[in-house]
Amino acid sequence: MCCEVKYTLENDIIEYIEECKKEEHPESYLIAVLHKVQGRYGFLSEIHIDEVAHILEVPTATVYGVATFYHYFKLKPRGKYSVSVCLGTACFVKGADSVLGAFKSELGIEMGETTSDGLFSIEGTRCIGVCALAPVVTINERVFSNVSPGQVPKILHDIKDTD
Ligand code: FES
C-alpha cells in the first residue's frame, strides 16, 4: 500500500497547483503559484518550496531559482514592521546608504533579517517612484521622506506608538 503525501500547504492552494499542473507548461505557472503561497503565508518557507516543486513536478532547484531571482519573493518571514529603504539612484545620491546603516545599527540586524522579537525587518528596494522625496523609507504602508540617519530612532519609536 502506498502512503499518502501530507502537505502543509492548504487545500485550496494545493488544488490551484494541481490545476496548473494540467496545463501544457506547468513551470510557466510557477510565479503565479509562488505569489499565491507568499500571499497566504507572508513568505516562502523551505517546506512550501519543496511542496510546490513536488506537486507541480518541477525540480526544487527551479522553484528556488524563481524565488531567489525575483526581488518580490521573500524566503524569510518579515517583521511586523517591514522597513524598506529605497536604494534607487536618487535616494542613494542623497544618502540612503547612511540611512540604511542607521536602521541596521539601531535594530542590530542586517538587510533581510528580522529582529528577535519579530517586530522589525529591513530590506532595500529599487526606486518606488517618489524620487523628489529622497531619501525615502517605507514601513508597511507608511512613507517617510527626506529621511536622515538622525531621524531613525524617532521613526522607529513613533511607528510602534502609532499602532
Ligand atoms: S530613487 Fe528612491 S524613490 Fe526614486
Side-chain angles (χ1 to χ4, degrees), residues 86-91 127-131 134 136:
C86 176
L87 298 175
T89 307
C91 287
C127 176
I128 58 167
V130 287
C131 308
V136 179

